[in-house]
Amino acid sequence: MHHTFDCNQPRLCRSILGLIAVTGMLAVLIAPAASAQDAGRRAPQESEQPQYAIGDQQQASLKTSDGGEIQYLLSVPDDFKGDKVPMMLFLHGRGESNGPLSLVAKWGPPMKAARGDAMPYLLVSPQCPRDDQWRSPTQQQRLVELLDHIIQQHDVDTDRIYLTGLSMGGYGSWTLACDHPDRFAAVVPVCGGGEPEKASALVNVPVWAFHGDQDKAVPFEKSVDMVEAIRQAGGEKIRFTTMEHIGHNCWSATYATPELYDWISRHRLSDRQ
């Protein structure tokens, strides 16, 4: 559209031109923001497979065989060169169920990845529905399907798959490890609990458990019971760190321990053969 202004009315002309300029600036400023908001609201697609974005943490989802869905964050190591890459499966706590998928990056390895820390793993961080828990049969089956999906879609080194989780995720880690001990090269349950009668399945699995001795949410004894059951079954690869004078949030100190990642990366599934 072509506009003609009567410049014999300078005050009106300046007002109109000023309004057009301001409107144009607002359009430029608002458009990127709206685009970012739309991107943030974009619903993950069925069995969505994000392309590798080095050093980035992406959102994806997988439709599961029970008609449900499991959403997850995926982070690729900065030094990924296209070869097979070790994988870490992280299970969050109860609080991170109550919000958007991005909330999963509040604690633990995905938090480290989100702030730019170098993580030498293909990091997979799923989100548990708020009305369920990681150790339930439904979520356990979905986790297995997610694990299979990631292995199928990406160049995962199946000799180096690691499992860790905190609080509710600690329970989920104990359960998943006991039911599938031959899938994980090392397991790190943090302030969780399990079923001691199943602990013998972890006799040959490198496990490093952490728990605060002042924990009021998940009793310290929950980890003690699992550790002792493994030892009584003959397990010699179990490590247990008591976080003295620390309550439920022992995970901040746990995942900030450099030695933890050195210990994890030393283990291979083939070492048990």
Side-chain angles (χ1 to χ4, degrees):
M1 179 180 292
H2 180 69
H3 296 278
T4 301
F5 299 109
D6 184 357
C7 289
N8 291 322
Q9 301 180 42
R11 183 175 298 175
L12 175 60
C13 183
R14 287 194 299 271
S15 298
I16 293 174
L17 290 173
L19 179 59
I20 292 173
V22 170
T23 302
M25 291 175 64
L26 287 174
V28 172
L29 292 172
I30 291 172
S35 177
Q37 290 173 359
D38 291 342
R41 288 193 296 263
R42 182 177 64 85
Q45 300 300 309
E46 178 176 351
S47 299
E48 182 178 348
Q49 180 190 352
Q51 298 299 312
Y52 282 127
I54 308 304
D56 190 19
Q57 196 156 210
Q58 304 163 65
Q59 297 188 12
S61 69
L62 173 69
K63 295 293 186 181
T64 51
S65 62
D66 61 357
E69 179 183 52
I70 186 164
Q71 299 188 54
Y72 61 96
L73 297 178
L74 178 70
S75 177
V76 179
D78 289 337
D79 60 353
F80 178 70
K81 297 296 190 300
D83 298 325
K84 287 190 176 296
V85 62
M87 172 186 164
M88 175 178 283
L89 178 62
F90 168 75
L91 306 182
H92 64 76
R94 168 53 65 197
E96 290 70 69
S97 290
N98 301 315
L101 177 58
S102 58
L103 190 60
V104 172
K106 181 178 181 179
W107 304 110
M111 179 191 75
K112 293 170 68 67
R115 72 187 183 192
D117 292 9
M119 300 293 290
Y121 320 102
L122 183 70
L123 176 60
V124 180
S125 308
Q127 185 176 42
C128 182
R130 67 183 64 193
D131 59 352
D132 207 345
Q133 53 187 324
W134 282 131
R135 60 178 170 170
S136 77
T138 296
Q139 297 307 316
Q140 289 284 302
Q141 179 58 36
R142 290 180 182 178
L143 288 172
V144 170
E145 292 184 21
L146 175 61
L147 181 60
D148 291 338
H149 172 73
I150 296 296
I151 292 172
Q152 180 182 17
Q153 297 294 329
H154 302 286
D155 296 323
V156 174
D157 183 351
T158 55
D159 198 35
R160 295 183 291 168
I161 297 179
Y162 308 110
L163 171 64
T164 185
L166 63 89
S167 192
M168 177 181 71
Y171 277 93
S173 295
W174 280 118
T175 301
L176 193 62
C178 284
D179 290 342
H180 305 277
D182 294 333
R183 302 206 66 166
F184 303 105
V187 183
V188 182
V190 182
C191 60
E195 301 175 74
E197 60 272 20
K198 293 184 176 182
S200 60
L202 301 177
V203 166
N204 296 314
V205 179
V207 176
W208 191 352
F210 293 79
H211 213 128
D213 65 356
Q214 301 300 310
D215 195 334
K216 303 301 182 184
V218 178
F220 175 70
E221 288 72 25
K222 291 293 184 179
S223 286
V224 173
D225 290 344
M226 290 299 293
V227 170
E228 289 304 315
I230 293 173
R231 287 174 175 164
Q232 290 176 10
E236 298 180 351
K237 297 182 179 181
I238 178 72
R239 294 183 64 173
F240 182 36
T241 295
T242 298
M243 313 292 278
E244 295 184 351
H245 312 298
I246 293 181
H248 190 47
N249 182 359
C250 70
W251 54 80
S252 291
T254 296
Y255 291 118
T257 305
E259 183 190 356
L260 173 64
Y261 303 97
D262 293 338
W263 178 86
I264 288 173
S265 297
R266 286 200 303 269
H267 294 291
R268 305 285 191 277
L269 196 60
S270 55
D271 291 342
R272 300 181 210 166
Q273 300 175 356

